[in-house]
Amino acid sequence: MVLRATEFFSKEGASACDPATESAFFSALKMRNGTFKFTQPCRFSELERLIQPFVKERSGSLQEVLDIGVSTGVTTVEFANFLRSNGASAKVIATDLFINAHIVHAWPQLTVLADSEGWPLQYDFRGIVVRPWIRRLDYLTLAFVPRLLARWLLRARARALIAAGSSEVVQMTTRLLSNDGDILFVENDIMKRAPAFAGRFDFIRAANILNLNYFGERQINEAVANIRSYLRGPGALLLVTRTNNARRNAGTLFELLPSGTFQILKRIGGGSEIERQILRSRP
Ligand SMILES: C[S@@+](CC[C@H](N)C(=O)[O-])C[C@H]1O[C@@H](n2cnc3c(N)ncnc32)[C@H](O)[C@@H]1O
């Protein structure tokens, strides 16, 4: 059973939530770019073991760390724990295209969970969860017609209420693992340069985001240029990795050189698929 947003984000929701309930809640939320809010825990234990010596070596100097494309942040919390257990008390910023959401009481019997632009992610109609998104079967049964109509109406209504400040702001981040306030979740598009991030980070991780079947080469180059500009300077680390269906990682740990180019420190599982682009990129 999928929880209602008002239950999931309530104070009691945090203590009542278990991994299966949280996973069911998030994986039923379809973002406006067509992706679902879903990630899996414990993806990086082996990878972390292999990069541990490099992290230990620098533990004293890791002040700020950026994790890009974190989804619900389950693996960010693990990453922060890994850093801490290796002596690094870094502040972690976790970003994703979709972090913030709004609970909007659209009409007396209808509550909508919507993203920052009003895009409906869940309807709660008289306590019953209804999905706003359309699946293939809906085209056969014609259920897509009321769903499209509802989305059109409720998006406008949610957007107006959000703009008027009549919504409860929530973050679509994990409620399972303790986050002692060391992680700050921020909505950010890695394709758009964020001046607030310039020259700040000692370690950046991009896990399961910069994939060649998702982004074109030009977009990858843009993302890499942004990432470079976010690193503090020579010696800063960049980890790019992708997990396959067998839960194995193909990733590369890079170090930024004084020239502004990257060198490989460690290759895991054959290396990152965008290693070539990263090595070729120039400031
Ligand atoms: C597969 S999840 C990876 C989650 C986590 N890093 C992991 O490896 O378990 C990919 C995430 O990247 C986010 N994403 C996609 N495009 C993005 C962009 N341009 N900027 C920031 N995040 C993006 C998606 O919203 C999604 O949550």
Side-chain angles (χ1 to χ4, degrees):
M1 197 194 69
V2 175
L3 285 186
R4 295 179 287 131
T6 44
E7 288 176 307
F8 182 79
F9 290 110
S10 67
K11 262 201 200 112
E12 302 72 41
S15 45
C17 211
D18 58 71
T21 310
E22 178 171 288
S23 171
F25 176 79
F26 280 127
S27 24
L29 304 183
K30 191 172 185 180
M31 305 298 115
R32 62 175 189 276
N33 69 353
T35 60
F36 286 89
K37 227 348 125 212
F38 183 63
T39 183
Q40 288 170 321
C42 311
R43 289 174 140 186
F44 304 116
S45 322
E46 171 71 358
L47 179 144
E48 284 170 356
R49 194 179 59 74
L50 294 169
I51 65 164
Q52 188 175 32
F54 302 96
V55 171
K56 265 204 160 128
E57 206 174 76
R58 292 164 170 79
S59 60
S61 60
L62 298 181
Q63 290 165 25
E64 288 206 89
V65 171
L66 178 66
D67 195 13
I68 298 166
V70 301
S71 189
T72 65
V74 171
T75 66
T76 310
V77 179
E78 294 171 349
F79 186 41
N81 289 341
F82 161 71
L83 294 173
R84 203 175 305 127
S85 66
N86 284 286
S89 54
K91 170 103 197 143
V92 180
I93 311 276
T95 67
D96 199 280
L97 271 182
F98 305 105
I99 294 277
N100 299 327
H102 297 255
I103 296 176
V104 180
H105 299 291
W107 278 292
Q109 307 271 17
L110 179 64
T111 301
V112 180
L113 176 70
D115 75 8
S116 309
E117 293 189 9
W119 181 265
L121 302 167
Q122 187 198 75
Y123 304 135
D124 167 356
F125 182 59
R126 297 180 165 189
I128 296 168
V129 171
V130 181
R131 76 181 146 80
W133 44 274
I134 295 166
R135 60 180 175 204
R136 223 175 287 167
L137 190 64
D138 293 337
Y139 291 103
L140 291 177
T141 60
L142 298 185
F144 77 97
V145 179
R147 278 189 211 280
L148 270 181
L149 200 63
R151 189 164 71 201
W152 179 70
L153 275 172
L154 288 168
R155 186 181 187 184
R157 175 91 178 136
R159 206 187 310 183
L161 288 169
I162 291 168
S166 303
S167 66
E168 181 194 340
V169 183
V170 290
Q171 290 207 312
M172 294 183 281
T173 54
T174 182
R175 313 208 71 195
L176 287 174
L177 305 161
S178 78
N179 166 15
D180 305 332
D182 289 345
I183 304 175
L184 182 67
F185 288 93
V186 179
E187 227 168 56
N188 174 264
D189 181 350
I190 189 54
M191 299 303 161
K192 294 187 184 145
R193 184 77 54 104
F197 289 170
R200 255 178 76 175
F201 297 98
D202 305 290
F203 190 177
I204 296 183
R205 181 176 83 160
N208 295 305
I209 168 165
L210 298 179
N211 306 338
L212 286 168
N213 65 348
Y214 192 66
F215 291 114
E217 193 139 334
R218 206 173 57 97
Q219 286 175 302
I220 298 274
N221 290 340
E222 260 172 49
V224 173
N226 290 341
I227 286 172
R228 188 208 337 272
S229 77
Y230 299 162
L231 286 169
R232 194 186 293 280
L237 300 177
L238 166 63
L239 174 65
V240 180
T241 188
R242 181 172 181 178
T243 320
N244 68 18
N245 291 339
R247 297 175 72 90
R248 304 302 299 261
N249 275 282
T252 307
L253 180 68
F254 302 89
E255 179 181 40
L256 189 67
L257 295 172
S259 59
T261 56
F262 288 97
Q263 76 169 1
I264 295 176
L265 287 183
K266 181 83 185 164
R267 192 177 273 145
I268 300 116
S272 161
E273 68 198 88
I274 62 159
E275 201 179 274
R276 198 171 45 90
Q277 277 96 327
I278 293 176
L279 290 178
R280 265 201 331 226
S281 87
R282 298 282 175 273

